[in-house]
Amino acid sequence: FNDNMFARLAPLTETDVRNTFKTAFETWADVDCGDARSPFFVEQAAATTPTSKAEFVYDEPNESVVVARTSAEWGALPNHDPTALAFTLLWHDKNTGEILDVDMELNTGAGKFADCVRGCSNRMMVDLGNTITHEAGHLLGLGHTTVRGATMTTTAIGAETEKRTLETDDKN
């Protein structure tokens, strides 16, 4: 997580945010892949990082970052739709498919992130769990689907929480 992450997602606490990420990734890890292995391993660093750069540099150590961006920061970045809630950047080896680095950015200008299971009071609130579960799918290399109701559909409406769980299309 970037140093500014938790302040920009207030009133959610650091514990709330870390638990939301943990739950979202566990949702994907619980998918039965037909063997005894978990499909991946994710570990959160206990500390934060001062970097806010979402980038991959060959032949250098890279860290995957999660950044909450203000509306102004979001608008200054290339290819960042101002209406998008989040953007996951994935770098991979085109020959092997190996994922080399992944960074996740949240657009705090598109709505106020909250835990909408507890209830969201207005249309500008966005469920963080819903968003992170969807973005975790991208982190795993999945694209969007046109199957209605799937977690990996392209849109989220307001305070919806349905993308916290996976549908058959997502699991397949």
Side-chain angles (χ1 to χ4, degrees), residues 105-133:
E105 300 172 298
L106 302 174
N107 181 5
T108 62
K112 183 176 179 111
F113 287 96
D115 180 351
C116 293
V117 169
R118 298 181 202 159
C120 284
S121 58
N122 67 52
R123 290 182 22 187
M124 287 305 295
M125 296 186 98
V126 177
D127 186 61
L128 182 63
N130 201 64
T131 303
I132 299 308
T133 304

Side-chain angles (χ1 to χ4, degrees), residues 1-10 12 14 17-18 48:
F1 297 106
N2 162 267
D3 286 342
N4 296 323
M5 178 81 174
F6 305 114
R8 291 181 176 174
L9 294 179
L12 293 171
E14 179 175 345
V17 174
R18 287 183 177 278
T48 59

Side-chain angles (χ1 to χ4, degrees), residues 41-151:
F41 173 76
V42 174
E43 182 177 17
Q44 291 183 31
T48 59
T49 180
T51 187
S52 64
K53 287 188 175 183
E55 65 180 355
F56 175 74
V57 181
Y58 282 96
D59 300 324
E60 289 186 24
N62 287 274
E63 61 183 347
S64 294
V65 296
V66 180
V67 182
R69 301 214 182 273
T70 65
S71 183
E73 291 170 334
W74 190 270
L77 295 167
N79 304 315
H80 282 56
D81 177 345
T83 63
L85 300 175
F87 192 56
T88 296
L89 299 119
L90 184 138
W91 291 268
H92 69 283
D93 183 310
K94 292 180 182 178
N95 296 318
T96 66
E98 176 187 3
I99 295 173
L100 304 171
D101 188 29
V102 182
D103 297 316
M104 188 182 299
E105 300 172 298
L106 302 174
N107 181 5
T108 62
K112 183 176 179 111
F113 287 96
D115 180 351
C116 293
V117 169
R118 298 181 202 159
C120 284
S121 58
N122 67 52
R123 290 182 22 187
M124 287 305 295
M125 296 186 98
V126 177
D127 186 61
L128 182 63
N130 201 64
T131 303
I132 299 308
T133 304
H134 173 90
E135 293 303 315
H138 290 312
L139 187 138
L140 296 171
L142 300 177
H144 288 131
T145 183
T146 58
V147 176
R148 290 187 73 186
T151 297

